[in-house]
Amino acid sequence: MWNSDFFESITLKALGLHVQLGHTPGERCYNAQPVSCDEFTVIDAHGIHDVAVDFCGCETAQIRYKQLLRARWFPATTTDPRTAATFSVLELFHLLSFESKVSAYEFYHSLARRSDNTGISPIKDQWRHLLQLMRAGHGHDPNGIEATPDGGCVVQCPACPHPGINIPDGWENSPPDIRWRYVLFLAIDANFRLKRKAISSDDRNPSLNSGWAYFVEERAYKQFLSEHSTERQERSTCVGHNAVNTADTKASRGLAAMGVGSVVCARHEMRLPNSVGDLQKGEKYINMDYLVFSVLVSFGLAVFNLSYDIACQWHKKLWSRNSTMPQRLQFDYENKIVRFFVPKFHLKAHIQSYQTTFSFNFSKWVGRTDGEAPERGWADINRVATSTREMGPGNRRDTLDDHFGDWNWKKISMLAHREELAELEGAIDASTLALWRADVEAWEEDNTKPNPFESRVVPMTQAMVRLEFAERERRDLQDGIDVSLHAEISPSMLIANGLELEDQQRQIRADRKTLSQNPTDNQKAKLQMCSNTLQRKLDAWAQVQILYMPTVASLCIRAQRNDIPQDEMPKDFILFLPSQLNAITPCDLLLCQIEWQLRYAQADDALNDVRQNVRLHAHLNTFKTLHIRGQRASTRARSALDLAETKKCGSRLKYEAARVALDNLGDRLGMVGWRDTFRPLNVADMRPMGDAGSAGQSEGRRDIPWIWKAPGVLHNNDAGLQDCLRVEWCKARARASRWSEEFALLIEEMQRVLAFFRWEMAQWNGRGTARSFTKDADREGSFAYAQRQISVREGLVIRFSTLWRDALSAVVSELDPVPEINTEMADDQMPSLEGPPLEGDDE
């Protein structure tokens, strides 16, 4: 208010604002009753205000807290209220707490600082609780909110299978290739960020939800834990899982809860009814078992896929522990299929055999599920950890329940590689494929059979690697270094010897590169002797070449005139093989055909050397990483790796030289089709089967380098290569199957989502007129709210149907037709519209 000098803050009460409750604006109340002490505070989005308020004391007046609710003011108490918060400020706080995770304390004090006022603390727990009940339809229940069942206030996942709601009748009698789609994917995890200090108690700060939402009912849960508190948890036999081995030793001083455990929908990341519970001392089996069985018994399905980062250990005695659960939570697992998995990101932390046994990538009928859904949910809820750890037990559970419900609703509103396998199969003969396919199908049906995803070849040792190097050197000597030139040489021998001399030139060039900047006299002498030997062979070979290729004589004379240092001559000597001549230089076609055949074989041999050297280098690198420690051993291992890398690069150079020659000769001879077999060899192609390849490639998106898919790979007699190829084929088949399953699951889930929303529309249609009211305004409000909920779900159906039209256009739904929704009241049900209109819920 302007005070003649400046605008000063003043209360609305001082300005003369006077609110009469219980009547329409402008209507006089003949029995107005001022609030006690004539003090009333209203908290609104733009501040905290003192106002003058009179309640109605007429004969037909409602109780005082109802008069406040009619004015859209939420009372701080039901007995003589003198403080209220407007619906608009509560709705604002509700949304801000979801999006920014602001606490009630921070929000209230922000309003207080705007108003220069302090000391008033509104109660907001009831607001959250009432909204959950109202949105779940329990305000329309004729039996009242006391009839709310456990988990009755959750926002359910519409894409998960719900018998009688969104999957066809008789689903349990479907053939196996259809029934697998009606499986529930569950992911289990714990969060130790959501702690709670030892403040207050359940008696002083009880939960209003009390098991009606995502947290389990606390008293029954704690009673079960106290009855099994003395049980010791077995240690892990896999790796050092802290979640298992330290569950009994985690420090919990000053904490009532070290965190929470949870079971979520692994496909859609949504929280499930009665799936969350406090962890008093680590991630103990008794806590997690209670949560898991609370979820399992609530779904009448036959197949469950459970993902847990310690599933390898946790599942072993699960069914024996099932018998110790309370009677209502004992899961009847007879005639049901329960499979166990480890999330993809956590899988590498397990021993090698478990990385295939518990893998989503290699198991049948799981699609592209990764099992990491809880981690994404924790990232959202962790932002309230700071505020909830200071709360009392009931207030904390209700607050987290509310945030879990918002997470589910946001997930609902946002619902919206076969070529690789065929290419690999082209390199494998039909009989071998049939054998491998039988092995992998047998393992998919029974995991006790030999695992086809595991190698069956004994891995190489360092001694074997040294022997392999020695054998290759022996073969190199046999293939060219110790060859003597005879007086009479046939055309085929001429070309063959020319290719051998080309190999020796590459070897000398490689040896010169490996020399240090200051080589010893002994190193230089050895290299010079090799160069001299090569030079003598080149001279002898060139004399014979002129007999078969007279036109190269003039080419040799021109080459000798070039300014090339004498010590560089042997390695840079141009051989002038038919493939090195241009198209206008005449050359006997017989020589071209001979070189073509030899080059084709050379390219095939070089490609095989590339594969062997790639495997050798990968093995040495893995062995060094896992077993080599210390400077001396590391230096030796590094030398072995460098030698393997040199050989790998050398085999690539040999292959590329053969391919260039084939390219030149192919044009001259008119050869076609060979380029499909011998492709350009890039560095990125020289990686082992099973390598991730490009950065960010996961197992499901990984490609296989073409060198392992070239025709004839399996005809190699190397048992290790054949074993690698078998394992890689199994993985490629698994990738193709998982993507096909993912497509089928997505189509099924799209249909289930639409069917679930139509079912909810039918439920709200019945709720609109299910409850009897004495006042027409109450009947109107109940019906209007139900119509609002029908409209929301109808909008979602229209939106998702539009987004998914193309995907669903070729699919015939197996779901039963949903009856038309009645959106109008009968004449005898229509309430009177006399009096002021009632504002609907702004949800």
Side-chain angles (χ1 to χ4, degrees):
M1 184 180 69
W2 184 254
N3 63 4
S4 74
D5 292 320
F6 59 90
F7 284 102
E8 64 175 327
S9 298
I10 194 171
T11 65
L12 294 176
K13 180 179 180 181
L15 287 174
L17 178 63
H18 196 106
V19 179
Q20 175 63 59
L21 300 174
H23 293 270
T24 58
E27 182 179 354
R28 181 181 177 185
C29 177
Y30 293 95
N31 190 19
Q33 297 179 349
V35 69
S36 301
C37 303
D38 195 25
E39 293 180 356
F40 199 92
T41 303
V42 178
I43 304 168
D44 200 10
H46 45 69
I48 302 173
H49 308 283
D50 288 339
V51 297
V53 173
D54 287 341
F55 289 100
C56 175
C58 299
E59 184 177 351
T60 59
Q62 292 181 314
I63 195 169
R64 289 191 170 187
Y65 76 84
K66 286 190 176 182
Q67 294 184 39
L68 291 170
L69 290 173
R70 287 289 182 179
R72 295 180 59 82
W73 291 0
F74 195 86
T77 177
T78 58
T79 304
D80 193 19
R82 288 184 289 175
T83 302
T86 64
F87 282 16
S88 61
V89 74
L90 293 177
E91 290 163 354
L92 175 63
F93 166 71
H94 206 210
L95 290 176
L96 282 176
S97 67
F98 290 148
E99 298 301 324
S100 67
K101 307 305 179 187
V102 64
S103 68
Y105 177 88
E106 294 165 335
F107 181 75
Y108 172 75
H109 280 275
S110 296
L111 294 176
R113 292 181 64 181
R114 286 197 66 187
S115 309
D116 289 330
N117 204 350
T118 57
I120 302 173
S121 179
I123 296 179
K124 297 182 172 63
D125 306 68
Q126 295 178 358
W127 174 260
R128 297 181 188 272
H129 179 61
L130 289 178
L131 280 183
Q132 287 178 330
L133 289 169
M134 184 168 60
R135 290 168 177 171
H138 298 297
H140 292 71
D141 192 335
N143 297 320
I145 62 173
E146 292 80 7
T148 303
D150 287 346
C153 289
V154 302
V155 179
Q156 296 194 64
C157 176
C160 284
H162 299 275
I165 297 177
N166 62 356
I167 58 177
D169 295 334
W171 59 270
E172 60 270 24
N173 300 320
S174 302
D177 59 339
I178 296 296
R179 191 170 60 230
W180 72 270
R181 302 178 186 178
Y182 311 126
V183 61
L184 184 65
F185 291 82
L186 300 177
I188 309 160
D189 197 22
N191 183 341
F192 294 102
R193 292 282 301 277
L194 295 176
K195 298 177 172 63
R196 188 183 75 82
K197 293 182 178 180
I199 299 173
S200 190
S201 65
D202 287 315
D203 292 332
R204 288 183 291 171
N205 187 251
S207 170
L208 297 176
N209 289 338
S210 188
W212 288 353
Y214 304 93
F215 270 87
V216 294
E217 202 281 316
E218 190 71 7
R219 294 188 183 278
Y221 177 51
K222 287 185 175 179
Q223 180 180 353
F224 169 78
L225 296 180
S226 65
E227 293 172 355
H228 297 78
S229 59
T230 58
E231 296 180 4
R232 298 288 297 179
Q233 185 156 302
E234 63 268 21
R235 297 182 65 84
S236 172
T237 58
C238 176
V239 292
H241 289 306
N242 288 335
V244 178
N245 295 338
T246 64
D248 292 312
T249 61
K250 281 185 173 288
S252 58
R253 182 177 181 181
L255 297 174
M258 295 188 64
V260 299
S262 178
V263 183
V264 306
C265 164
R267 291 280 301 174
H268 318 105
E269 306 171 11
M270 298 183 66
R271 305 287 171 185
L272 300 173
N274 296 133
S275 63
V276 184
D278 285 333
L279 302 178
Q280 290 73 28
K281 194 175 181 63
E283 192 173 348
K284 302 184 70 172
Y285 288 171
I286 56 173
N287 296 82
M288 308 308 292
D289 290 348
Y290 191 97
L291 303 178
V292 171
F293 287 120
S294 294
V295 173
L296 289 179
V297 298
S298 64
F299 283 89
L301 296 169
V303 184
F304 299 86
N305 290 334
L306 273 60
S307 171
Y308 194 10
D309 54 5
I310 55 173
C312 60
Q313 184 72 25
W314 171 76
H315 86 288
K316 291 182 178 179
K317 298 182 181 180
L318 181 64
W319 303 128
S320 62
R321 299 196 300 272
N322 177 44
S323 60
T324 66
M325 302 298 295
Q327 186 64 36
R328 62 184 178 84
L329 296 184
Q330 291 187 11
F331 179 62
D332 182 13
Y333 56 91
E334 296 294 335
N335 301 320
K336 292 184 175 64
I337 299 175
V338 181
R339 300 196 295 169
F340 302 93
F341 301 90
V342 172
K344 291 182 179 180
F345 179 79
H346 293 78
L347 192 61
K348 289 295 184 182
H350 293 252
I351 60 177
Q352 186 63 40
S353 60
Y354 287 171
Q355 292 184 23
T356 53
T357 305
F358 294 93
S359 173
F360 275 106
N361 290 318
F362 305 146
S363 299
K364 196 175 182 181
W365 293 338
V366 297
R368 292 289 300 139
T369 310
D370 64 5
E372 298 289 353
E375 304 296 341
R376 292 183 278 272
W378 295 142
D380 176 79
I381 198 64
N382 281 344
R383 292 184 292 166
V384 302
T386 304
S387 58
T388 56
R389 72 185 178 192
E390 304 285 347
M391 294 180 179
N395 189 20
R396 171 176 168 274
R397 291 194 294 271
D398 291 349
T399 300
L400 291 177
D401 272 343
D402 199 30
H403 282 273
F404 292 149
D406 177 70
W407 169 264
N408 280 12
W409 180 253
K410 286 191 291 190
K411 297 300 292 185
I412 288 177
S413 63
M414 292 186 295
L415 284 174
H417 275 38
R418 290 192 164 273
E419 296 78 5
E420 184 77 22
L421 178 63
E423 193 174 7
L424 178 62
E425 289 181 345
I428 306 171
D429 61 83
S431 60
T432 303
L433 274 180
L435 179 63
W436 291 356
R437 186 174 286 108
D439 286 347
V440 73
E441 289 176 353
W443 181 82
E444 287 176 342
E445 296 299 329
D446 183 2
N447 285 0
T448 61
K449 297 292 181 63
N451 192 331
F453 297 96
E454 295 179 353
S455 176
R456 298 170 186 171
V457 174
V458 178
M460 292 185 289
T461 64
Q462 284 185 311
M464 295 173 63
V465 172
R466 289 193 294 268
L467 177 61
E468 179 70 16
F469 277 138
E471 288 293 326
R472 291 188 186 184
E473 290 173 358
R474 179 183 61 81
R475 290 196 297 269
D476 290 343
L477 288 173
Q478 291 178 347
D479 291 342
I481 295 178
D482 199 28
V483 173
S484 299
L485 297 177
H486 298 279
E488 295 181 357
I489 299 176
S490 65
S492 60
M493 291 183 63
L494 174 73
I495 302 300
N497 290 340
L499 298 186
E500 292 172 359
L501 293 172
E502 188 181 63
D503 285 342
Q504 294 177 36
Q505 286 181 310
R506 279 193 294 267
Q507 183 62 48
I508 289 181
R509 284 194 289 267
D511 291 342
R512 290 182 68 87
K513 287 184 178 180
T514 58
L515 286 179
S516 61
Q517 293 182 350
N518 299 303
T520 64
D521 292 339
N522 186 38
Q523 290 174 328
K524 290 189 289 186
K526 289 179 65 175
L527 186 61
Q528 188 61 53
M529 291 176 63
C530 291
S531 296
N532 295 341
T533 301
L534 178 59
Q535 185 64 57
R536 287 191 290 269
K537 292 180 179 180
L538 287 170
D539 292 340
W541 182 83
Q543 292 177 4
V544 179
Q545 181 190 29
I546 295 177
L547 297 175
Y548 293 98
M549 304 174 64
T551 56
V552 305
S554 59
L555 299 176
C556 291
I557 294 174
R558 286 198 295 268
Q560 291 176 358
R561 291 175 182 171
N562 295 333
D563 187 17
I564 301 177
Q566 188 64 29
D567 60 344
E568 300 287 338
M569 284 295 293
K571 71 181 183 62
D572 293 328
F573 184 88
I574 301 176
L575 296 172
F576 292 111
L577 290 166
S579 61
Q580 296 172 323
L581 303 178
N582 56 40
I584 63 175
T585 303
C587 182
D588 191 345
L589 285 180
L590 177 61
L591 295 176
C592 294
Q593 293 171 352
I594 291 173
E595 185 179 2
W596 168 268
Q597 294 174 354
L598 290 173
R599 289 289 189 182
Y600 198 97
Q602 183 188 45
D604 192 58
D605 290 343
L607 192 57
N608 186 51
D609 289 342
V610 167
R611 287 189 285 259
Q612 291 181 347
N613 289 323
V614 165
R615 290 179 53 237
L616 181 62
H617 185 274
H619 166 75
L620 288 173
N621 190 47
T622 301
F623 188 88
K624 177 180 180 295
T625 302
L626 296 178
H627 304 291
I628 300 300
R629 299 293 183 271
Q631 182 176 359
R632 185 175 182 181
S634 296
T635 301
R636 291 182 177 179
R638 183 70 258 173
S639 299
L641 268 174
D642 292 340
L643 180 57
E645 180 68 24
T646 300
K647 287 186 171 290
K648 185 172 70 171
C649 295
S651 58
R652 175 175 178 251
L653 291 174
K654 183 176 180 180
Y655 172 81
E656 285 299 326
R659 191 177 183 281
V660 169
L662 287 174
D663 193 44
N664 294 332
L665 292 170
D667 294 338
R668 179 174 294 199
L669 298 174
M671 298 294 186
V672 295
W674 64 273
R675 291 182 177 87
D676 295 334
T677 302
F678 300 121
R679 308 180 193 177
L681 182 59
N682 300 315
V683 175
D685 300 321
M686 297 168 56
R687 50 189 171 89
M689 287 185 288
D691 189 73
S694 302
Q697 278 192 338
S698 62
E699 173 63 33
R701 300 177 184 273
R702 182 168 54 78
D703 63 336
I704 305 171
W706 71 265
I707 62 175
W708 306 106
K709 299 178 290 188
V713 174
L714 196 65
H715 298 298
N716 189 291
N717 293 325
D718 187 342
L721 176 60
Q722 295 188 37
D723 184 69
C724 288
L725 192 62
R726 175 187 58 80
V727 172
E728 192 59 32
W729 175 84
C730 291
K731 292 181 178 180
R733 179 186 180 276
R735 285 194 293 272
S737 299
R738 298 301 83 77
W739 280 111
S740 297
E741 293 163 3
E742 181 69 12
F743 175 78
L745 276 176
L746 287 175
I747 295 298
E748 178 67 26
E749 288 168 350
M750 290 176 185
Q751 294 176 333
R752 289 204 293 251
V753 168
L754 299 178
F756 187 88
F757 287 148
R758 294 189 181 105
W759 174 81
E760 283 198 319
M761 291 166 65
Q763 294 294 305
W764 277 107
N765 185 59
R767 290 169 183 159
T769 56
R771 186 173 175 181
S772 300
F773 295 94
T774 58
K775 293 186 178 181
D776 289 339
D778 295 337
R779 295 176 62 193
E780 179 192 2
S782 175
F783 182 78
Y785 187 82
Q787 293 304 304
R788 164 68 172 164
Q789 298 302 317
I790 292 173
S791 176
V792 169
R793 283 147 183 84
E794 184 179 27
L796 290 173
V797 169
I798 294 173
R799 178 189 172 198
F800 292 160
S801 298
T802 302
L803 289 174
W804 301 337
R805 184 192 303 113
D806 294 339
L808 296 176
S809 59
V811 180
V812 179
S813 175
E814 301 175 0
L815 303 178
D816 295 332
V818 180
E820 292 292 329
I821 304 300
N822 175 29
T823 58
E824 296 183 358
M825 297 180 86
D827 292 339
D828 59 343
Q829 295 176 321
M830 184 64 69
S832 170
L833 299 182
E834 296 179 0
L838 180 69
E839 293 188 61
D841 177 45
D842 291 336
E843 177 192 2

